[in-house]
Amino acid sequence: MTQHSKSWTLKPGAMTLADLRAVWAAPAKLILAAEAYPVIEASAAAVQAIVAKGDAAYGINTGFGLLAKTRIPDAKLEQLQRNLILSHSVGTGELLSDAVVRLIMLMKIGSLARGYSGVRPLIVDTLIALYNAGIMPAIPAKGSVGASGDLAPLSHMTLAMLGVGDVRVNGELMPAPEALAQAGIAPVVLAAKEGLALINGTQVSNALTLHGLFMAERLLEAAMVTGALSLDAAKGSDAPFDARVHAVRGQPGQILAAQMYRQLVAHSAIRASHLEGDERVQDPYSLRCQPQVMGACLDLIGNVGRTLLIEANAVTDNPLIFQDGPNGQAEIVSGGNFHAEPVAFAADTLALAIAEIGALAERRIALLIDATLSGLPPFLVRDPGVNSGFMIAHVTAAALASENKSLAHPASVDSLPTSANQEDHVSMATFAGRRLDDMAHNTAVIVGIELLAAAQGIDFHRPLKTSPHLEHVHHQLRQKVPFFDADRFFAPDIEAAKQMVLHGELSSTCKNLFAPLYA
């Protein structure tokens, strides 16, 4: 099973984006803060008191959805909860990645541990044990509409706790009973309310969108680096990055982006070579307006992060147990926190940023291969005609930028009623979050192609050098991809550049420069 090099303590309701980012990036042993257990126990006791009293309470001793009026005998409450999980495990499609599943499990643990869901400590501890053993439930990606909770995918998560279905350990699928036995974890028998508490909630939608957020952060960093590199490759001007220009507009992301661009291109010998005698008055927008566009993306990504962090710490199942009811008694309240509209809106706006990062990079690629605009050899290759150079690499970038336009269409404006019109408006947040991965990979390819094209342009200016920051990026690329001196099998070069983008390698040596993105 998984061995962890470090551990951290989860305080329910107090997770940070840095915590979530770390869990997304790599496993770590999870410890639940001791002060969480008394409130979990009190909530579970309240549910047992409701059962003992015999009053009908949704999800505790009734059916679900349109069957809420059906009263369930006490002798069948355990069967009710198990049947709920089995019948709701109807997902389809590829399995969610371990990184996303870790986020789902972490956020479900944090939500249940806040003490409003009526589950026993055993349930929380079993989820923690699975997480720490590296047993990742096999969760199909499709099957949730993002309201009434992410019912189907969270049911697949819960199956693993019951010892049913498959799980993934160290990347390999295996039967859940076998994995639990190897880890010494006993399957659970769900008590009243527990199945519903586990599968109600927005944790899948939020995890998918957090995955998109963290990918978008890397894309933003990488595209700012490649955009600065393209500026020097095209012998563009850094005058549009002047702090005064951005101060009089006042947009915070734009001001910060301009500051980063100034630092990225500082001390470039290429820029110094054309400070005088350059007949061009203004650069095309894809060079000149980078702070305006990327700054707007930066602001949007920051706003999305704030929404998703609130949701990560939230209690989003139904019904909820409150200890401050009439006469000091616990009260069960039905609501709708499982409706993932905030997450759907966040995912839809994040899609705009991911699409625009790629769209602007595609325009810079087009600029660089056009000799009339860039002053570089046509298609960035010697002996054009015999060699096609970057001609069709740009076509790939254009195809992916266009695909992202379609994928950026908002999912949240759609809704199909479910459960015989009981659930008559839904958020579609799960798809809204899920499609961000495709978009991010598309944009990573576009930015990777720009990296190759801009580095090629820099090579044509030798012996002049670009800035120290950008020279380091150029060197990193050339360790993996040589200068494009003549046509060759190009796809491996593009894949290598894409991986550099996805793994954050373009900003690895100037993290301090990008630190304000995470403030």
Side-chain angles (χ1 to χ4, degrees):
M1 295 300 173
T2 300
Q3 299 294 316
H4 301 289
S5 59
K6 56 183 178 180
S7 63
W8 67 284
T9 300
L10 169 63
K11 295 183 178 181
M15 284 186 288
T16 67
L17 276 177
D19 294 332
L20 295 164
R21 203 177 283 113
V23 165
W24 172 73
K29 183 179 179 181
L30 178 63
I31 301 168
L32 182 62
E35 59 265 28
Y37 284 98
V39 296
I40 299 172
E41 290 166 354
S43 184
V47 170
Q48 293 309 311
I50 291 168
V51 171
K53 189 176 180 182
D55 292 342
Y58 175 72
I60 294 177
N61 51 21
T62 73
F64 308 104
L66 202 65
L67 301 176
K69 295 179 182 179
T70 303
R71 183 70 160 78
I72 308 299
D74 289 357
K76 293 187 176 182
L77 294 185
E78 288 183 356
Q79 181 185 348
L80 171 70
Q81 297 299 314
R82 182 179 178 85
N83 286 354
L84 174 71
I85 304 307
L86 297 176
S87 67
H88 284 49
S89 296
V90 293
T92 187
E94 295 182 1
L95 299 182
L96 297 178
S97 69
D98 285 357
V100 171
V101 174
R102 282 196 301 271
L103 286 172
I104 293 168
M105 296 175 75
L106 172 70
M107 290 188 290
K108 179 54 76 174
I109 291 164
S111 178
L112 297 177
R114 287 190 59 186
Y116 297 98
S117 302
V119 305
R120 294 166 293 165
L122 170 67
I123 298 301
V124 177
D125 287 341
T126 300
L127 261 179
I128 293 172
L130 290 172
Y131 180 99
N132 287 338
I135 298 174
M136 299 290 104
I139 304 178
K142 300 180 182 182
S144 174
V145 295
S148 264
D150 290 311
L151 296 172
L154 286 173
S155 293
H156 284 275
M157 179 199 75
T158 307
L159 282 179
M161 301 173 64
L162 306 182
V164 177
D166 290 331
V167 296
R168 193 163 48 209
V169 180
N170 297 323
E172 298 294 328
L173 276 177
M174 62 189 302
E178 181 182 336
L180 268 62
Q182 289 181 6
I185 300 170
V188 299
V189 176
L190 298 172
K193 175 68 168 66
E194 289 178 341
L196 188 60
L198 283 160
I199 70 172
N200 252 193
T202 62
Q203 287 79 27
V204 175
S205 300
N206 210 45
L208 288 165
T209 309
L210 281 166
H211 171 72
L213 173 73
F214 301 146
M215 296 275 278
E217 291 171 346
R218 292 187 177 181
L219 294 171
L220 185 74
E221 288 185 358
M224 291 181 78
V225 171
T226 58
L229 201 63
S230 290
L231 182 83
D232 247 6
K235 286 192 171 181
S237 173
D238 58 354
F241 305 154
D242 188 310
R244 296 168 296 180
V245 172
H246 308 284
V248 297
R249 190 178 200 183
Q251 293 289 352
Q254 178 180 325
I255 292 168
L256 180 56
Q259 174 188 320
M260 293 176 176
Y261 281 111
R262 289 195 301 274
Q263 292 174 282
L264 282 169
V265 300
H267 311 299
S268 165
I270 295 174
R271 174 59 182 137
S273 73
H274 62 99
L275 279 170
E276 296 181 3
D278 194 332
E279 295 180 354
R280 295 172 297 178
V281 178
Q282 294 187 128
D283 293 324
Y285 291 178
S286 61
L287 298 179
R288 194 194 336 158
C289 297
Q290 290 186 76
Q292 287 79 2
V293 176
M294 299 300 279
C297 292
L298 191 160
D299 281 336
L300 193 153
I301 289 169
N303 290 336
V304 166
R306 284 184 282 275
T307 296
L308 299 183
L309 179 59
I310 291 170
E311 196 74 4
N313 285 300
V315 180
T316 55
D317 62 285
N318 177 65
L320 299 175
I321 313 295
F322 295 96
Q323 303 293 343
D324 57 354
N327 304 315
Q329 299 296 310
E331 184 177 10
I332 185 164
V333 180
S334 286
N337 281 356
F338 49 67
H339 198 298
E341 196 81 346
V343 180
F345 283 168
D348 282 347
T349 52
L350 187 58
L352 299 179
I354 292 172
E356 282 296 88
I357 291 168
L360 196 65
E362 182 275 326
R363 287 292 80 207
R364 291 191 295 265
I365 299 166
L367 184 155
L368 291 174
I369 65 174
D370 185 341
T372 63
L373 292 173
S374 68
L376 296 165
F379 301 107
L380 298 172
V381 69
R382 297 190 182 105
D383 200 7
V386 173
N387 294 302
S388 294
F390 281 69
M391 181 189 297
I392 307 303
H394 169 249
V395 172
T396 294
L400 297 178
S402 181
E403 183 176 309
N404 274 355
K405 293 176 188 177
S406 295
L407 289 171
H409 180 82
S412 58
V413 298
D414 188 24
S415 177
L416 279 175
T418 60
S419 192
N421 280 312
Q422 171 75 7
E423 296 150 12
D424 58 351
H425 182 275
V426 298
S427 72
M428 299 299 178
T430 322
F431 168 65
R434 177 165 53 83
R435 71 33 159 111
L436 297 175
D437 184 70
D438 283 343
M439 295 185 69
H441 278 268
N442 286 346
T443 294
V445 173
I446 298 168
V447 175
I449 292 171
E450 184 188 11
L451 172 62
L452 295 168
Q456 188 82 354
I458 296 297
D459 284 330
F460 281 120
H461 295 314
R462 295 303 191 205
L464 293 175
K465 291 188 175 183
T466 184
S467 72
H469 277 313
L470 299 178
E471 278 293 335
H472 181 80
V473 171
H474 183 278
H475 176 73
Q476 284 181 294
L477 175 67
R478 286 291 174 252
Q479 296 295 107
K480 301 178 180 183
V481 179
F483 176 75
F484 197 95
D485 57 348
D487 283 352
R488 62 174 182 252
F489 182 26
F490 208 169
D493 296 355
I494 294 172
E495 180 62 25
K498 174 192 175 184
Q499 293 304 319
M500 290 180 70
V501 172
L502 289 176
H503 294 131
E505 293 181 43
L506 276 66
S507 55
S508 60
T509 60
C510 51
K511 282 297 182 186
N512 290 341
L513 190 157
F514 290 104
L517 296 177
Y518 309 102

